[in-house]
Amino acid sequence: MAQQVKICETVLRDAHQSLIATRMSLEDMLPILPAMDEVGYFSCEVWGGATFDSCIRFLDEDPWERLRVIRKNMPNTKLQMLFRGQNMLGYRHYADDVVEYFVQKSVDNGIDIIRIFDALNDIRNLETAIKATKKEKAHMQAAISYTTSPVHNVDYFVNYAKQLENAGADSICIKDMAGLISPTVATQLVSALKSAVKIPIDLHSHYTSGLASMSLLKGIEAGVDIIDTAMSPLALGTSHAATESMVAALQGTPYDTGLDLKKLNVVREHFAKLRQKYLDNGLLNPKVMGVDANTLLYQVPGGMLSNLVSQLKQAGKEDQLDAVLNEVPNVRKDSGYPPLVTPTSQIVGTQAVFNVIMGERYKMVTKEFRGLVRGEYGKTPAPIDPQFRKQIIGDEEPIDCRPADLLEPELEKFREEFPPEYLEQEEDILTMAQFPQVAPKFFEKRKNKKYGVDGEHANKENKVHPV
């Protein structure tokens, strides 16, 4: 049965994370928030992912204050965040008590929907975050990290979706971070999921390969309930299909979103000015706005590709990019076919770079790759060859349990060790826990300079969110 399709708008999080390395400041967002609140989106993704890191590392913004300001200016719209399961928003596994507290504080500060994923699709790494989200009575959207490999097929994803539904998910997101899902597979996968589970399905696909809008449309025809899109000035390329285009395509059909293109145009005009600003100041590279079908060959997301180029440039080996791209699938196969998304994309990509520039495979092995093969990040989709594992980890014992079971509670330790001169809010402890190297510098700046968003409007005299 056809039904109205809902829109999750990503322009305030994933779109600018994909195109300008998460550098959109709150000051850039603030003027358009009331107009966005009037559009009638199902939700707006505004937080999580790399926004937290970017806020304190580059923008001198308190990410918690950003969330509170957006909440105040968008009272009628569900606010959504991306959450890396047991990793939270950091890059390692955290103890259960820290994960539970982070979820509690996220909801307290304004989050309505938490999209939770694990890079390996190991449900054990989601269980604590799922339970915590349900306890806080927020909407728990569990994400399937979509990829292609000999072990990733429709049956694999349907089996995982059933596990997620049984664990308490309120909806399921097909998270296609590299833009790999084809229109045909979108039809097959969505149809199978709609038959297997009784909760709404969201389709999230990046435009990197040029397939996204076609795959979204076929997914909609197969029964998708929600699609992720981005306002057109910050759409396409490594971002998402354009919101206005998808709304227009569905008008007058049984899937009509009900959104008003005139209201969307008000929002579009604001982001068109920002797009020009980002082009002028060099934040937006026109290269990331195009289509790169190579992603279909190498399963390399756009952000991972730029990291590989950067690593090769630092090593003076830029001419080796093709060799590295050819090596990525080999490393991925050896390490159990992990989907390439944070943090596995960085782990696999960096190891592929080392394999190429060292001239010998696994002559040098990164600590993170050793951890992936050992089981420190969870169970890989395919078993790792025992002989290869022995080659990489030596005499270390493999980890077969849920990795977080090996962690002692650590929230009180973080609280006790927090420098009292920096503490302005309880949430600061969670900021420090995730980014212990970066957070003190941010807290020092904040302490020395009380700056400029009062919850309603930016202080024009003292601009506090430099790009």
Side-chain angles (χ1 to χ4, degrees):
M1 290 288 291
Q3 63 177 358
Q4 184 180 59
V5 171
K6 300 179 176 70
I7 299 285
C8 168
E9 174 58 62
T10 68
V11 75
L12 297 178
R13 204 285 298 178
D14 201 11
H16 71 96
Q17 178 170 323
S18 300
L19 295 176
I20 59 167
T22 333
R23 297 297 202 279
M24 187 186 294
S25 66
L26 179 57
E27 184 180 49
D28 283 347
M29 301 174 186
L30 208 49
I32 201 60
L33 297 181
M36 291 185 71
D37 195 43
E38 292 179 10
V39 169
Y41 297 114
F42 167 72
S43 65
C44 280
E45 192 193 40
V46 301
W47 214 57
T51 57
F52 209 98
D53 189 347
S54 187
C55 275
I56 63 171
R57 191 185 299 267
F58 302 114
L59 299 174
D60 291 339
E61 281 187 35
D62 180 349
W64 299 97
E65 182 64 10
R66 171 184 283 205
L67 175 55
R68 290 190 288 264
V69 170
I70 295 173
R71 173 79 284 164
K72 185 160 189 172
N73 284 274
M74 298 184 72
N76 304 305
T77 303
K78 289 177 184 159
L79 301 185
Q80 185 166 321
M81 73 172 292
L82 182 67
F83 192 83
R84 298 188 194 114
Q86 209 72 30
N87 286 24
M88 305 196 301
L89 305 182
Y91 304 102
R92 71 166 176 89
H93 280 204
Y94 289 85
D96 290 338
D97 60 341
V98 182
V99 174
E100 290 162 356
Y101 195 49
F102 192 95
V103 169
Q104 179 192 328
K105 285 298 179 184
S106 298
V107 176
D108 283 352
N109 281 276
I111 289 295
D112 301 293
I113 301 171
I114 303 183
R115 176 180 292 169
I116 305 171
F117 79 98
D118 177 63
L120 298 177
N121 289 326
D122 184 344
I123 194 167
R124 300 173 303 172
N125 293 334
L126 302 185
E127 286 166 350
T128 297
I130 288 173
K131 288 174 186 170
T133 304
K134 301 294 283 185
K135 181 182 177 185
E136 298 304 319
K137 297 182 169 51
H139 179 111
M140 206 294 295
Q141 185 177 89
I144 297 167
S145 295
Y146 179 83
T147 188
T148 57
S149 83
V151 297
H152 290 93
N153 53 35
V154 169
D155 288 343
Y156 170 93
F157 292 124
V158 167
N159 180 56
Y160 187 47
K162 287 178 181 175
Q163 294 178 52
L164 295 171
E165 182 182 38
N166 291 337
D170 296 303
S171 61
I172 286 174
C173 173
I174 303 166
K175 179 177 166 56
D176 177 25
M177 52 279 175
L180 298 176
I181 197 166
S182 70
T184 302
V185 174
T187 299
Q188 294 168 349
L189 179 54
V190 172
S191 298
L193 288 174
K194 293 298 286 187
S195 297
V197 300
K198 305 303 177 196
I199 53 179
I201 306 295
D202 184 323
L203 181 54
H204 166 107
S205 184
H206 287 253
Y207 218 91
T208 320
S209 68
L211 295 176
S213 56
M214 293 181 282
S215 298
L216 289 179
L217 187 56
K218 297 306 285 186
I220 289 165
E221 291 172 351
V224 149
D225 303 274
I226 310 159
I227 58 172
D228 286 18
T229 61
M231 291 304 301
S232 58
L234 292 178
L236 309 184
T238 51
S239 180
H240 297 267
T243 302
E244 308 96 301
S245 303
M246 293 305 299
V247 168
L250 298 174
Q251 275 186 340
T253 75
Y255 313 105
D256 197 320
T257 65
L259 300 189
D260 185 341
L261 284 170
K262 290 181 180 175
K263 287 184 177 179
L264 285 170
N265 191 49
V266 173
V267 180
R268 186 203 67 79
E269 287 177 351
H270 174 80
F271 287 105
K273 291 173 188 169
L274 285 185
R275 172 191 165 112
Q276 191 57 52
K277 170 184 169 180
Y278 299 146
L279 283 167
D280 291 345
N281 66 17
L283 267 181
L284 180 57
N285 184 334
K287 285 182 181 177
V288 302
M289 305 299 288
V291 165
D292 184 358
N294 268 346
T295 190
L296 298 170
L297 298 176
Y298 305 116
Q299 296 96 41
V300 173
M304 179 180 172
L305 185 62
S306 59
N307 281 341
L308 295 178
V309 171
S310 174
Q311 288 177 6
L312 288 169
K313 188 180 286 188
Q314 288 171 14
K317 302 273 189 180
E318 286 178 87
D319 60 329
Q320 297 289 315
L321 179 60
D322 285 344
V324 170
L325 289 174
N326 281 309
E327 179 63 3
V328 166
N330 297 327
V331 175
R332 192 167 168 245
K333 177 183 177 183
D334 291 340
S335 55
Y337 291 110
L340 297 180
V341 64
T342 304
T344 51
S345 53
Q346 292 90 332
I347 295 170
V348 169
T350 301
Q351 188 58 52
V353 169
F354 276 123
N355 285 1
V356 169
I357 64 177
M358 297 301 292
E360 182 183 330
R361 303 185 76 222
Y362 307 112
K363 182 178 182 180
M364 180 181 290
V365 177
T366 67
K367 173 188 167 194
E368 291 77 14
F369 187 75
R370 186 175 289 110
L372 175 63
V373 171
R374 185 178 175 227
E376 291 174 14
Y377 294 87
K379 184 180 179 182
T380 54
I384 294 174
D385 178 77
Q387 197 170 347
F388 177 75
R389 177 179 274 171
K390 175 84 172 167
Q391 175 191 342
I392 298 300
I393 70 172
D395 294 329
E396 287 187 86
E397 280 293 312
I399 295 172
D400 293 319
C401 66
R402 182 183 77 118
D405 287 341
L406 302 174
L407 299 175
E408 295 291 328
E410 52 186 344
L411 182 59
E412 285 311 311
K413 174 171 157 282
F414 286 135
R415 192 172 269 126
E416 288 166 9
E417 292 177 354
F418 193 94
E421 68 273 19
Y422 291 147
L423 190 65
E424 292 189 7
Q425 58 185 348
E426 186 70 9
E427 291 83 353
D428 290 342
I429 294 162
L430 291 165
T431 302
M432 180 73 89
Q434 292 177 107
F435 302 102
Q437 279 79 43
V438 181
K441 298 171 189 171
F442 165 73
F443 291 140
E444 183 66 26
K445 287 181 184 177
R446 186 181 66 179
K447 181 184 173 190
N448 293 337
K449 184 180 179 184
K450 291 294 180 184
Y451 38 53
V453 173
D454 63 12
E456 296 207 81
H457 56 83
N459 181 332
K460 300 302 179 188
E461 269 49 311
N462 183 17
K463 295 197 173 176
V464 302
H465 308 293
V467 172

